[in-house]
Every structure is written in structure tokens, then in C-alpha cells.
Amino acid sequence: MESINTSAAAIKSPASPPTAPIMPCGIEHPDADIIFAWEHRKAAYDAYNLLPHSEVAGENYTTEEREQLAIIDECEDVIKRTEARTPRGAELQLWASLSHLVHGAEMDAAANRADYDFVVSHEDLLDWELRLILSSIRALRAMTEAQHQFADAWLALWTEKGGSVHLEPIGKAQIGFPTYDLSRTYEKMAHRYEGVGADHNQTWDDGHYYGAMNAMYAALTAHPGGAAMVKARMRDKGISFCMLPKGEAA
């Protein structure tokens, strides 16, 4: 097996909680701290909204209300001070900001659950500065979709030719492909290696195979953040090992 390794920075921040989310593939998300804090914050808001409230906002908080508000403050502090590493983390930071600026119970609830469709459908009710935040959220979502399309296309082509990607728990990607004689391409071209010209055909096919695989890897590394996009997409799909046609998980 010929393999090419790509290194990745440590994905766990010093403040990463022991309950940080783990993807189905066993890989921790680079923005695990932010995602966990957001989900914990959202649960605290749900609990807070079920409690009886004073008719005067900010007055006569009960012990139960203060407990949930303290959780929300702690979660927002994590969201604020943690550096986002992916569009998802940055988007949640913007939602946390937006939730403090919108007006009205419905819009407030939508921002607290990051309900993009609801907020967009009421965008004309937002002030200019809030629309600017929403525009940034829209851009991050579009960026994520473009990255997913690139990763899906590359993984489909790479695995169709027999390449593989193994995403290790530490976040490092092992990207490799078999030698020509063990590849799927060799099996398809075996009929060319008998009779007159067999040696020439095999030499030609062998060179073509290695050229194609190295060119695909070069395309990945030449694209800014290409390897990171592939790793992020595999995490999103819960895939830790990819080698079958069309990027299916083994």
C-alpha cells in the first residue's frame, strides 16, 4: 500500500469538556466545545421557558430561574471565548449574538434554536445590523455547502479508482492507494496483458494509474484546505474509513 499522510492540528482545546460531542465515527468535532455549549444553552433556555416568570422582566427571579440563567451565562462565555475552527462553530457564535439583539418572543425563540428558515422568512422585520449578522450566517452556510460538494466529488473519484481515506481519532487522515497490481484498475485491464504487446500495455497502464492517482492527490492538496474539507465531510457523515465506490463507508 502506498500512502500519503496529511497532518492536522490538535482538535481539542484545553477547555474541552469531558462530555464534548463525539461523532458516530468516533472523531471529536473541531468545534466540540462551541457545539456542546450551544446545545447545553439551548436546553437551559427550554427549561427556563417552562418556569413561571415574573411579569416584570429582570425582577423577582426564582431560584430555579437563576439556576438556568447561570447555565446560559456559562455556556455563552464558552461560546464567546472559544476560537471557532469551522463554519459551524462560527455560525453558532453569530446565533448567540443575534439572540441578544432580536425583538419579540417568536424571533427570540427562533434565534435561540438557530432556526434559520424562520428568521430568514421574517428578515424584513430585522434592523440593518441584524440583517448583516444574518448575511454572515448565510455566507457560512453557503461556504459549508461548497466545501461538502468539493469533498463529495473528490471522495467519489478517489475511491472509485481504489483509493482510501482513514480518519484517525486524533483527527489525522491517512490517504492512500494500492499498488497497481492490487488495484481495481489492474483487474479491469488484465485482458491486455496477454499476447503481443502485453509488456508495453502493462507498462502504459501502470504509468497511467500512478499518474492519475498522484494527480488526484495533487488536486486535493492544491485546493486551499482541501484535506480539511474531506475530513470535515467524513466527520459529518460519521465515516471513519472510506474506500468503496462513490465514497460509501466500509
Side-chain angles (χ1 to χ4, degrees), residues 37-38 40-41 70-80:
W38 174 264
H40 201 177
R41 174 187 183 275
I71 292 173
I72 292 169
D73 288 343
E74 184 178 353
C75 291
E76 290 185 344
D77 182 62
V78 173
I79 293 171
K80 178 191 69 175

Side-chain angles (χ1 to χ4, degrees), residues 49 102-113 118:
N49 290 331
V102 296
H103 304 288
E106 286 188 330
M107 187 65 78
D108 183 64
N112 281 324
R113 64 176 183 270
F118 180 90

Side-chain angles (χ1 to χ4, degrees), residues 214-230:
N214 285 316
M216 280 189 285
Y217 180 75
L220 177 69
T221 56
H223 195 296
M229 294 180 199
V230 168

